[in-house]
C-alpha cells in the first residue's frame, strides 16, 4: 500500500448557515423557505476534509474565533483526523457564510470572514516549515493573499507542490502566481482572470508552461498541460440537489489523488466523480462521500 500524501491546507474555516427554498426572494420580497441548516464549511476546511476522507494525512493552517462556532469547527477537525495545531484562535468571531440554495440546487453565498482574515504570513510560513513529510500545499482566496504567498514560497523551497483555487475570485499578485504550480479556477473565475470565456483557444493560451485545470460544473473539467494541450474530463450525470462545496470537493480529491502518485488525468477523473457525488446531497462537508463510499467511486 502506498504511503498517504501529506497535505497542508492554508485557508478558511467557517460555519455555513444555509436556507433552502424553491424560489429565492428578490430585493424587498419576503418568501418562505423549506429548510435551515448549520454545517461545517469554509473553502479551506472543505478541501481539507475532502482530502482527509480520501485518505491523505492533512494539516489545517488557519484562524477561528474563541466562540461556539470556533469550538465546533475544532471538534470537527478532530473528528475528521485533521491536524489543527496550526489553527490560530483569534479575538475576532469565527467566519460565517450565509447561503441560499434554490430549487435547482444553485447557491448564492455571502461570506463574513471574521477570524479568517486574522492570521499573517509569518504564522503560515512557520507552519509550512514545520510539517513533516509535506508533499502538497493548497490555498484559496478566503484568507489574505500575502498569507498564501508566504506559505507557497516556503512550500516551493521545501520541494512541495502548490495548488491554488482562486475562489472567490480576486486579482492574483504576480508573486503568488510565480509560486503556484497548479491553478484550478472554475469557468467563472477563469473568465474573471483573463477577461474571456473558456474556449479551446483561450484555454490553450492560459498560463503557458504551467499546469492548470478549469472546472466546468456538470460539464466536467478541462486539463491544460504545460505545452497548452487540452484534455476534456467527463463527469457523471447526476440529479443536483445542492452544489455548495463541490469545487472544494474537486480540489481536495484531486490533491489526494495526485499526491498518491496518480497522473493528472486520472486524478482529475477521480475528482470529477467525487464532486458529482457531492452535489446529490445537501451542504458542503456534509455532502462529501465517506471512505466506504469513495471506494465505490474509485
Ligand atoms: O465553496 C463553498 C464554501 O464557500 C462554503 O462552505 C462557504 O463556507 C463558502 O466559503
Amino acid at each position: 500500500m502506498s504511503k498517504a500524501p501529506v497535505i497542508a491546507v492554508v485557508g478558511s474555516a467557517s460555519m455555513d448557515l444555509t436556507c433552502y427554498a424553491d424560489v429565492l426572494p428578490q430585493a424587498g420580497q419576503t418568501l418562505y423557505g423549506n429548510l435551515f441548516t448549520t454545517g461545517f464549511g469554509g473553502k479551506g476546511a472543505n478541501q481539507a476534509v475532502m482530502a482527509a476522507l480520501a485518505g491523505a494525512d492533512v494539516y489545517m493552517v488557519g484562524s477561528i474565533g474563541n466562540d461556539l462556532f470556533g469550538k465546533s469547527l475544532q471538534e470537527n477537525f478532530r473528528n475528521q483526523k485533521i491536524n489543527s495545531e496550526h489553527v490560530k484562535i483569534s479575538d475576532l468571531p469565527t467566519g460565517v457564510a450565509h447561503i441560499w440554495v434554490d430549487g435547482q440546487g444553485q447557491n448564492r453565498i455571502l461570506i463574513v470572514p471574521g477570524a479568517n482574515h486574522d492570521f499573517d504570513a509569518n504564522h503560515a510560513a512557520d507552519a509550512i516549515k514545520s510539517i513533516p513529510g509535506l508533499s502538497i500545499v493548497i490555498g484559496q482566496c478566503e484568507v489574505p493573499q500575502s498569507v498564501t504567498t508566504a506559505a507557497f514560497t516556503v512550500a516551493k523551497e521545501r520541494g512541495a507542490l502548490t495548488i491554488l483555487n482562486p475562489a472567490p475570485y480576486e486579482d492574483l499578485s504576480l508573486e503568488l502566481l510565480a509560486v503556484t504550480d497548479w491553478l484550478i479556477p472554475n469557468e467563472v473565475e477563469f473568465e474573471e482572470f483573463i477577461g474571456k470565456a473558456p474556449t479551446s483557444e483561450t484555454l490553450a493560451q492560459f498560463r503557458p508552461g504551467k499546469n492548470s485545470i478549469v472546472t466546468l460544473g456538470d460539464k466536467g473539467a478541462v486539463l491544460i498541460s504545460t505545452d497548452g494541450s487540452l484534455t476534456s474530463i467527463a463527469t457523471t450525470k447526476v440529479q443536483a440537489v445542492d452544489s455548495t462545496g463541490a469545487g472544494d470537493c474537486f480540489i481536495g480529491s484531486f490533491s489526494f489523488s495526485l499526491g498518491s502518485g496518480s497522473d493528472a488525468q486520472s486524478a482529475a477523473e477521480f475528482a470529477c466523480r467525487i464532486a458529482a457525488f457531492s452535489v446529490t446531497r445537501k451542504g458542503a462537508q456534509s455532502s462529501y462521500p465517506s471512505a466506504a463510499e469513495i471506494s465505490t467511486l474509485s
Side-chain angles (χ1 to χ4, degrees):
M1 211 169 109
S2 65
K3 213 164 157 278
V6 178
I7 297 180
V9 179
V10 178
S12 57
S14 302
M15 193 59 91
D16 287 354
L17 311 174
T18 306
C19 286
Y20 293 87
D22 296 337
V23 176
L24 300 180
Q26 303 293 318
Q29 187 183 28
T30 303
L31 294 174
Y32 283 101
N34 305 323
L35 177 72
F36 170 77
T37 62
T38 308
F40 298 114
K43 294 182 192 304
N46 294 346
Q47 294 167 9
V49 165
M50 188 58 239
L53 286 167
D57 191 0
V58 180
Y59 290 70
M60 182 74 201
V61 182
S63 174
I64 57 176
N66 186 17
D67 48 25
L68 284 177
F69 284 165
K71 287 182 182 42
S72 192
L73 296 186
Q74 275 284 13
E75 194 185 343
N76 183 47
F77 288 135
R78 276 194 296 278
N79 291 341
Q80 300 291 350
K81 307 212 170 16
I82 291 172
N83 182 308
S84 62
E85 68 188 275
H86 302 293
V87 175
K88 169 188 163 178
I89 308 296
S90 163
D91 291 335
L92 296 180
T94 298
V96 289
H98 283 237
I99 305 177
W100 285 0
V101 182
D102 69 19
Q104 277 70 52
Q106 296 297 317
N107 62 37
R108 289 167 188 219
I109 304 181
L110 194 59
I111 298 162
V112 182
N116 286 313
H117 278 191
D118 183 32
F119 77 119
D120 63 24
N122 289 335
H123 170 90
D126 289 346
I128 297 302
K129 262 179 213 151
S130 73
I131 296 170
L134 185 68
S135 45
I136 293 182
V137 179
I138 305 175
Q140 333 72 35
C141 295
E142 285 186 339
V143 300
Q145 240 181 79
S146 55
V147 170
T148 313
T149 307
F152 278 18
T153 302
V154 176
K156 297 298 300 161
E157 284 163 8
R158 293 193 57 186
L161 205 64
T162 56
I163 297 179
L164 180 66
N165 172 222
Y169 186 75
E170 59 185 33
D171 287 342
L172 301 172
S173 73
L174 293 178
E175 290 78 15
L176 178 54
L177 286 168
V179 285
T180 297
D181 294 316
W182 283 86
L183 187 67
I184 310 188
N186 67 19
E187 54 195 318
V188 175
E189 291 146 5
F190 175 90
E191 188 160 353
E192 286 175 301
F193 187 38
I194 65 157
K196 290 178 188 161
T199 62
S200 40
E201 264 189 3
T202 57
L203 287 163
Q205 287 161 13
F206 190 59
R207 293 182 84 221
K210 296 259 199 174
N211 290 295
S212 303
I213 294 177
V214 180
T215 57
L216 304 169
D218 62 4
K219 297 185 289 303
V222 57
L223 179 64
I224 310 168
S225 301
T226 49
D227 63 359
S229 57
L230 307 179
T231 309
S232 288
I233 310 291
T235 190
T236 327
K237 292 280 167 240
V238 292
Q239 185 66 44
V241 168
D242 181 359
S243 61
T244 308
D248 304 326
C249 182
F250 181 96
I251 300 285
S253 34
F254 174 77
S255 303
F256 162 77
S257 186
L258 198 67
S260 302
S262 301
D263 61 56
Q265 181 174 341
S266 310
E269 286 166 353
F270 172 70
C272 274
R273 285 196 295 278
I274 305 284
F277 178 94
S278 79
V279 305
T280 65
R281 299 207 290 219
K282 288 192 167 77
Q285 293 173 32
S286 55
S287 70
Y288 296 171
S290 63
E293 288 167 330
I294 291 168
S295 63
T296 69
L297 297 164
S298 297

